[in-house]
Each structure stands twice: as C-alpha cells, then as structure tokens.
Amino acid sequence: MAALTPLSPAAVPAPAEAARRPRRRPRYWRGAVLTVAGLYFLTPLISSFVFTVHVPGQGLTFAAYSGILSADGFTESLFLSLSLAAATIALALLLVVPALVAVRLGPPRLRAVVEIVCMLPLVVPPIALVTGIATVLRWGPDHFSRTPLYQTFLAVQNESFPVVLVLAYTVLALPFVHRSLDAGLRAVDVPTLVEAARNCGAGRLYVILRVILPNLRSSLAGASFLTLALVLGEYTVASLLGFRPFAVWIVSVSGAEARMSVAVSLLSLLITWALLLVLSRAGTGPSAATPATGATTASAAPTPVPGKE
C-alpha cells in the first residue's frame, strides 16, 4: 500500500466560492456613455441659451425673456394650445380607456386589432394626414352647401377654437395614449376587479370611474402629459390648415424676434421636462411601499386558534 503523504498548501484546490467570485472590472464605459449622451442633449440647449442672452456689442441681456409676456399674440396662442390640449386629452382618454377595458374583458384576439389601429398614426406621416383633412374640408362645403352639414364644416374650422385640430391631434396621440394605458392595465387584474364590483351591484360606468381609473392614475397622467407635449410642439398640421397655435406663433415670430422665439422654445421645453420628471417621481412614491407594509402587517398578525379565543 502506498504511503499517504500530506499535500502541501500549494497543492490544495481553491474553494468553490473563491473560484466563482467575479472579478471587478472598471466600468469606465458607463461614464463615457453618460458623458456623450449629456453632451449630445445639453450642447444644443446651452448654445440656444447663450444665443438668447448674448448680443454682440451689448453683452449679456435678458430682454428676450422679459418681453415674452408682452409679445403680440403670445397669450392668445398659448391659451389656444392649452385649450386644444385639454380637449385632445379628454377625447383621447374617452376613446382609448373604454376600448382597452373592453379588450381586457373580451376575446384576446381583439387586442392585436386595437393595437394595430392605435399604432397606425406612427406609420402615416403627418403631412399625408393633413393633406387628406384639407381635401375633405375643401370638398365638403361645395357638396353640402344646401344641407345642415355645411354649418358643421364651418364650425369645425372656427379660428377661436378649431375642432378639426382636436380631431387631428387625437389621431396623432393615439399611439402614446395606448402604450401608456396598456402598460398600466397589464399590472392590474381587470377581470377580477370588474367581476368583484359587478357582484356588489355596481354598474359599468361606476366600475370604470371608481374601480378601474383609480388604479391607472400614473398611466393616465403619463398619457396626459405626452399628449400635452405633442399638442404644444405640433406645427405641421396647424400650419398647413392655416391656424396659429403656440408652435406656429413661435415660428412666425422667429423672423422678427429670433432670440425671443428661441427663449420661448427653451421655456416650453424645460416646463415639459419638469412635468415629466414630477410624473416619474410621483409614480415611485408611497404607492410602492404600501403593498410591502400591508404584507408585513398581515404576516405579523397572529393566527387565531380554534377553541382558544
């Protein structure tokens, strides 16, 4: 029998944990990517800000920002865009929310159909959409001049509140509203909530308003803010149809007051970003901690024992 000789410490195999321990590699590439992305987004903004406050031969001046409120047409165009945004948000939510809830309760095949219909505006260019709208608006009064529809064609083109822009903006906002609400509905067990509410005697309208919508607050806010940003920055449809909301006013002012138009664009962009940041922070607030607290309380509650109450 061969003699058993003790192994030297160098010959002892390393433990499994030491062999599986990952090596720490320097992650310089993350900093490089963030730096490049920051320069890509911040350089145009900083350049625009410098253009608005620096006048050759005069130095620094904030006249472009101080004269915004007194500019001709600023208040009217901004109020018109905000009114159009409010109407567009209401109409888009009124169309998409019941459709998505019905799809969740109906056959699963309808989900693909609704998704395709809502995503079509991403495929159709806005210039093609506005060309079709303009053709219909020109064709309608000529063929319906002796019918009540003639007044309808005139009413939707009222300059004080063009309803035709609301309809066009609703179509353009459908993809964003659908994606935001669909993501929220995926996190909610809609059939169970609806069945429980209907068993308690609630009607369909009550179920949507008091049961479904409170669970979609963050999704509704996201869809609303995306629609607001879309309406405030849309130029093609309104310009070709001959209306003057906020985006068209900025372009029209740029010829005479270039610095003021850039200043207004910066302010509107910063306000939109601030609203989106507030929305993202609001979605990760106390709502995320509530289920955990409830689970801890339920697990800590003693289990009653029969006969020892």
Side-chain angles (χ1 to χ4, degrees):
M1 181 180 294
L4 298 176
T5 57
L7 297 176
S8 61
V12 177
E17 292 91 6
R20 296 176 182 176
R21 187 178 301 169
R23 297 181 180 179
R24 293 183 178 179
R25 300 178 179 179
R27 300 176 178 178
Y28 300 114
W29 60 271
R30 293 187 178 181
V33 171
L34 292 177
T35 302
V36 172
L39 292 175
Y40 180 80
F41 286 104
L42 294 179
T43 300
L45 297 179
I46 296 175
S47 303
S48 301
F49 178 74
V50 172
F51 173 75
T52 57
V53 299
H54 178 70
V55 180
Q58 299 181 10
L60 294 178
T61 176
F62 291 92
Y65 294 91
S66 60
I68 290 177
L69 295 178
S70 60
D72 184 21
F74 170 78
T75 306
E76 294 79 2
S77 61
L78 181 60
F79 180 75
L80 177 59
S81 292
L82 293 178
S83 303
L84 294 174
T88 303
I89 291 171
L91 182 58
L93 294 180
L94 186 63
L95 291 176
V96 178
V97 171
L100 292 183
V101 173
V103 164
R104 291 288 172 180
L105 299 176
R109 297 180 179 179
L110 294 178
R111 298 181 184 179
V113 178
V114 174
E115 183 175 3
I116 291 174
V117 172
C118 292
M119 291 298 140
L120 279 179
L122 295 178
V123 181
V124 180
I127 187 66
L129 177 64
V130 70
T131 302
I133 294 175
T135 303
V136 174
L137 293 179
R138 288 194 303 266
W139 172 83
D142 295 337
H143 292 76
F144 297 99
S145 58
R146 298 181 180 180
T147 63
L149 291 178
Y150 177 76
Q151 297 297 330
T152 302
F153 278 94
L154 296 181
V156 298
Q157 302 180 66
N158 188 0
E159 293 185 357
S160 61
F161 187 79
V163 180
V164 63
L165 287 184
V166 176
L167 301 177
Y169 291 160
T170 302
V171 174
L172 295 177
L174 281 181
F176 309 103
V177 176
H178 175 269
R179 283 300 184 188
S180 180
L181 295 180
D182 185 66
L185 287 173
R186 289 179 184 273
V188 179
D189 191 359
V190 177
T192 302
L193 291 177
V194 173
E195 183 179 358
R198 295 301 299 271
N199 289 337
C200 294
R204 296 182 179 180
L205 183 61
Y206 184 90
V207 170
I208 295 178
L209 296 179
R210 302 297 299 273
V211 179
I212 302 298
L213 293 185
N215 291 279
L216 299 176
R217 290 178 180 176
S218 60
S219 299
L220 292 173
S224 301
F225 281 122
L226 290 175
T227 306
L228 174 64
L230 172 68
V231 175
L232 289 179
E234 204 286 322
Y235 172 79
T236 304
V237 177
S239 176
L240 293 180
L241 291 180
F243 301 105
R244 201 186 185 195
F246 189 58
V248 179
W249 177 83
I250 293 177
V251 177
S252 62
V253 172
S254 61
E257 298 288 342
R259 287 182 172 82
M260 181 182 294
S261 65
V262 176
V264 174
S265 301
L266 284 176
L267 290 178
S268 62
L269 184 62
L270 292 177
I271 291 173
T272 304
W273 282 1
L275 292 175
L276 294 177
L277 182 61
V278 170
L279 171 66
S280 62
R281 293 297 180 88
T284 58
S287 59
T290 303
T293 306
T296 305
T297 306
S299 61
T303 303
V305 180
K308 295 185 179 182
E309 298 179 356

